[in-house]
Amino acid sequence: MNAPSQECRAFLRVVESFIDGELDPAAIIEGEHHTASCASCRERVMLGRAMKASVSHLATSPMGDDARGRLRNALAAEIARTPSSPKRAPRVRMVVGSIVAASFAAAAAWLFAPRIGTPNASLAEAGNDDVLSELVAEHVRPLPLDGTDIQTVRSLEQYVGVPLRQHFPASRAKLVGARILPFQHERAAIVQYELGGTGPGAPRRISVLVFDPRRIHLAPASDIAQQLGRHEVRMTRAQGLPVAVMEDEGIGYALSGDVDEKQAMELVRYVASP
Amino acid sequence: MFFRSTRRTDDAFLDEAMSYADALHGVARRMCRNEALAEDLVQETLLKAIKSREQFAAGTNLRSWLFRILTNVWVSRYRRASLERATFDAPDVDPIADGWVSADTMRNLREPEELAVASLLRAELERALELLPEDFRMVVLLVDAQEFSYEEAAAALSVPTGTVMSRLHRGRKMLQKVLVEQGRALGLAKAEAMADSTPPANLEAFREKKLRGTK
Ligand SMILES: [Zn+2]
């Protein structure tokens, strides 16, 4: 067995930089010169390259189609929520919209401070009205759905952590589909429906946000609530639309749509389990 | 009109960001315990990128920027307790030797004649990668799988270039050690290790040499 020569030792000190292409040209030429005449160092380089290739191969794992779809939806939602400046026209409109909504809310004393409340500080930064304004933004400008039939909608339960189902009898509202709505680390589902009827604005639509109230917390700042059977429904507004918030059997719901408060209240009755 | 062009910029950014989703996922999957966490890490990374897309200087390297965000998110949120870090980032007082193995052994490890042996070695390497301390693994992944330069990896992880080099060296040493041991068990390598050790070159000298060489 031959001990490495002085030359080998010198080369082995920089062999990794040589393999990684981090040496300057003069050192590379030196290295190539040495490996051309030294089988041992040549093998060392080839083994190093083979291992690099193996690691690279191990780190090749394309996302599944489902995950990719969810990811794209989440990113598109974020883009829709915050269109680029300097041409911030759409954003300005949204800001004005929420000011109007905010003053309306104050005047109507439907004061509400929804927040995402968990011990995780990173979630708190999501801001006060993020959840409900995302719901309404999503309702006004729906993104592609993750599923349009009840089976696929149900399969989204695994991401939300609470059961999903059809919330209205077919005679009252038609299921359009659902998609996952990410809030930082948490996920909720938005289930969309169409109300029957004709005339201007038809078909009117309803969006129901379904979430795990232990993870996404919509905490009321006031005690204004309406009793609906054994449930307490809190009515608020976001960007001009009414939102009815309710918890039932450990599932959180927020319903919004092309309706007024009275109709929202009537519709949320269906959402509660009998 | 403005809206439309803004929209187009946004859509283009979304498309371009999505084109790196698989690369980000490849690294994330090797850094996280399970698929769900890996997907969360990728999503959080890209959401952060979208949120601050106006800070991204067009014409610069988006891939590099995205991986920088990924490593930041990972360091602040997904990395496990720092105990192993403290141990392994200690000064290299006892460098793992560049254990001397024969050219034959290295050739056998690199291209075993039997397919079954090849897949055994691959599986062993995968396990070894999984067992690598997280900080080492991240550097190995960035440099080997994503072909980051040492300087890019250093910027992504906010550590000095020397730290990248030493983590890389030690991480690879560990992988190689497992591979050689497995090779011995499989009869691919003879018991020929010798005590000679070649620690990485003095980093200052290396940087200086590199600097001189580029001038
Ligand atoms: Zn040599």
Side-chain angles (χ1 to χ4, degrees), chain B:
Chain B
M1 204 56 194
F2 275 151
F3 176 66
R4 188 164 292 167
S5 70
T6 300
R7 185 83 209 186
R8 197 164 52 229
T9 313
D10 280 346
D11 287 350
F13 188 87
L14 174 62
D15 286 343
E16 207 183 339
M18 279 300 291
S19 74
Y20 293 107
D22 284 342
L24 294 165
H25 179 260
V27 169
R29 188 62 192 89
R30 288 287 156 202
M31 292 309 302
C32 296
R33 286 185 300 285
N34 60 50
E35 177 61 24
L37 276 180
E39 283 172 15
D40 280 353
L41 174 54
V42 173
Q43 173 154 329
E44 202 173 336
T45 298
L46 287 173
L47 272 176
K48 267 207 160 63
I50 296 270
K51 277 188 220 277
S52 45
R53 64 191 181 279
E54 289 177 20
Q55 282 139 45
F56 174 71
T60 61
N61 191 336
L62 180 61
R63 176 175 149 279
S64 185
W65 190 63
L66 291 177
F67 273 96
R68 192 146 85 216
I69 298 175
L70 178 122
T71 53
N72 280 329
V73 172
W74 170 75
V75 164
S76 65
R77 200 105 92 202
Y78 292 76
R79 181 163 59 175
R80 273 175 283 178
S82 54
L83 190 65
E84 63 182 21
R85 206 153 62 242
T87 315
F88 282 100
D89 268 352
D92 205 350
V93 285
D94 181 22
I96 302 158
D98 203 327
W100 189 255
V101 279
S102 74
D104 278 352
T105 300
M106 287 191 280
R107 191 177 307 115
N108 287 341
L109 289 174
R110 179 163 61 80
E111 41 183 36
E113 281 169 29
E114 284 175 64
L115 212 63
V117 171
S119 72
L120 256 176
L121 286 178
R122 252 202 311 279
E124 204 57 35
L125 188 69
E126 181 169 10
R127 199 180 61 89
L129 187 64
E130 225 143 76
L131 292 176
L132 226 50
E134 292 188 331
D135 288 333
F136 290 26
R137 204 188 320 155
M138 182 59 103
V139 173
V140 169
L141 287 170
L142 289 180
V143 174
D144 285 357
Q146 291 303 318
E147 294 177 341
F148 270 44
S149 70
Y150 295 168
E151 264 151 19
E152 273 181 300
L157 290 162
S158 306
V159 298
T161 312
T163 305
V164 164
M165 290 174 72
S166 86
R167 285 183 189 173
L168 196 58
H169 175 71
R170 303 173 91 185
R172 283 170 172 170
K173 223 56 319 196
M174 292 178 204
L175 296 182
Q176 214 174 307
K177 187 161 170 276
V178 170
L179 212 59
V180 170
E181 276 167 10
Q182 187 64 17
R184 282 197 186 118
L186 292 166
L188 296 175
K190 294 175 211 111
E192 61 202 345
M194 58 163 280
D196 197 283
S197 134
T198 53
N202 176 290
L203 298 174
E204 285 314 307
F206 171 81
R207 304 308 306 175
E208 220 168 84
K209 186 176 177 191
K210 199 182 169 196
L211 225 61
R212 272 206 317 273
T214 48
K215 263 175 196 166

Side-chain angles (χ1 to χ4, degrees), chain A residues 102-117:
Chain A
S103 46
F104 182 94
W110 292 120
L111 216 50
F112 226 72
R115 62 184 169 85
I116 301 181

Side-chain angles (χ1 to χ4, degrees), chain A residues 152-210:
Chain A
T152 322
V153 169
R154 283 215 183 95
S155 73
L156 301 177
E157 284 175 356
Q158 55 182 312
Y159 307 110
V160 188
V162 290
L164 293 175
R165 60 188 168 83
Q166 186 140 2
H167 301 100
F168 304 100
S171 59
R172 191 68 187 85
K174 180 173 148 263
L175 176 73
V176 177
R179 65 177 291 268
I180 294 295
L181 196 61
F183 298 110
Q184 307 260 339
H185 266 327
E186 308 300 339
R187 295 170 178 139
I190 280 198
V191 190
Q192 297 177 5
Y193 297 91
E194 263 178 28
L195 296 173
T198 49
R204 288 181 305 156
R205 293 180 305 109
I206 296 291
S207 295
V208 181
L209 183 79
V210 186

Side-chain angles (χ1 to χ4, degrees), chain A residues 80-94:
Chain A
R81 215 169 63 84
T82 58
S84 280
S85 66
K87 312 101 184 175
R88 268 215 191 251
R91 188 176 195 157
V92 168
R93 211 173 55 220
M94 276 173 65

